[in-house]
Amino acid sequence: MELQNNKSQTEKRQALREQILALQPANFERLTLEIFRYQAAYNPVYNQYIKNLNIIPEHITRLTQIPFLPVQFFKNHIIQSGDLPAATAIFQSSGTTGQQTSQHHLFDGTLYKDVSARIFRENFGDLKQFHILALLPSYLERNNSSLVYMMQHFIEESGSDLSGFYLKNVDELLQTLTFLANNPDGKKVLMLGVTFALLDLAESDHDLSFLAKIKELTVMDTGGMKGRRQELLREEVHDILTGRLGVDKIHSEYGMTEMLSQGYSHGAGLLMPGFSMRILLRDINDPFAIYDHNINSSKTGGINIIDLANLDSCSFIETQDLGRFGEKEGSFYVMGRFDNSDIRGCNLMVM
């Protein structure tokens, strides 16, 4: 009987995985409810959480009725849906000394890579069209970052010998940028960096005027000062970066250790979730009062994330980020974090 149950779970997982990779917007709600019922049945932590709330999974028929697991559970539990082989990677959030950090066990690296590559492609184009320069010193100093895992895949997919990571070797980064400015080859250039590293580059004594020669330069801020600099408003950061890096806008990436999908901003902090992701907002005073963009597009509240790529962990996360919906359907802004919540990760983009 147990063998049959395991086979049933494996077959259900495979069917859901295939649907995620082929997902189209019209099928998002239906697939989300299927994944909710799958995780309610096969994720022990989530199952117990739902039981403690006296929720009957079969009674859930709308996205706003789904219970969202508080992100803090990733600090104290292995969040796993189904009987799976050993994790291929364990991602860990950044944190201050002595602070307990979140862990996210990755069981299907191919799913993560395929989903994140599709989200990028739908926002910016094929990865093979880019030289990718990743300025991620704080992430590269540890070996368990989901962002580094994703960017390693992007760098490989770009097929460019000039793509790569930069820890503290700013001179090498500038040499690469200078070469690209003087030797255009039809590819675009993506320079992605943690906020403090981009600011350090922008405020350095180097002459950066040559960057204006790179016709298709995308500068992307992943957020976060990591305790290296004083926190600034997003507008202040982007004013400094646009003024010094030869671009008219700064793109942003929204993600965190507990997520496998990403949201991207094409300027002014307005974020669009990837195809496998949706943002709902919860009332600040009542975490079970949840709103979607169609119900109240002007609502401000705590950000709840549906992330279908989290098939093997939990696709329903109650974050500690504050946000509001944007004007475009599905879009959102990150406004900061709840008081007394941990300051961590690449999801801190203060409005």
Side-chain angles (χ1 to χ4, degrees), residues 151-172:
M151 292 309 300
Q152 180 65 53
H153 177 59
F154 285 9
I155 288 168
E156 292 170 357
E157 287 296 301
S158 74
S160 167
D161 293 335
L162 298 175
S163 293
F165 289 102
Y166 295 85
L167 181 58
K168 297 177 182 177
N169 44 344
V170 174
D171 289 340
E172 183 182 347

Side-chain angles (χ1 to χ4, degrees), residues 166-271:
Y166 295 85
L167 181 58
K168 297 177 182 177
N169 44 344
V170 174
D171 289 340
E172 183 182 347
L173 171 65
L174 291 173
Q175 288 175 8
T176 301
L177 288 167
T178 301
F179 179 85
L180 290 169
N182 294 325
N183 299 276
D185 60 1
K187 279 195 169 191
K188 306 171 187 178
V189 178
L190 169 64
M191 182 167 64
L192 175 144
V194 65
T195 307
F196 77 83
L198 289 175
L199 285 172
D200 287 348
L201 174 64
E203 295 177 343
S204 69
D205 294 332
H206 295 92
D207 180 6
L208 302 176
S209 59
F210 72 91
L211 291 174
K213 295 169 62 178
I214 303 178
K215 292 184 178 180
E216 293 193 76
L217 171 63
T218 297
V219 177
M220 185 178 295
D221 174 19
T222 68
M225 293 296 191
K226 307 296 183 185
R228 309 286 183 97
R229 298 176 59 122
Q230 180 182 355
E231 295 293 340
L232 299 173
L233 295 176
R234 177 186 55 78
E235 290 88 350
E236 294 178 289
V237 171
H238 289 192
D239 282 348
I240 294 170
L241 296 180
T242 53
R244 286 281 288 156
L245 299 181
V247 293
D248 60 1
K249 60 185 176 182
I250 303 298
H251 297 73
S252 301
E253 183 260 356
Y254 178 81
M256 61 182 71
T257 298
E258 301 85 359
M259 292 169 54
L260 297 181
S261 298
Q262 302 77 43
Y264 287 106
S265 166
H266 294 267
L270 179 65
L271 289 149

Side-chain angles (χ1 to χ4, degrees), residues 28-65:
F28 187 92
E29 184 163 357
R30 176 192 58 77
L31 181 56
T32 298
L33 290 171
E34 285 188 33
I35 290 176
F36 162 68
R37 295 187 183 101
Y38 170 80
Q39 293 183 343
Y42 294 108
N43 184 316
V45 174
Y46 190 46
N47 175 275
Q48 189 61 50
Y49 179 68
I50 291 170
K51 285 182 178 178
N52 289 343
L53 295 176
N54 295 317
I55 289 174
I56 301 173
E58 291 74 19
H59 292 177
I60 302 298
T61 59
R62 299 192 307 274
L63 301 189
T64 53
Q65 295 175 326

Side-chain angles (χ1 to χ4, degrees), residues 119-134:
I119 294 172
F120 183 91
R121 182 172 64 251
E122 291 179 349
N123 277 273
F124 302 100
D126 196 283
L127 284 160
K128 296 188 184 304
Q129 300 174 356
F130 285 87
H131 300 291
I132 299 176
L133 314 179

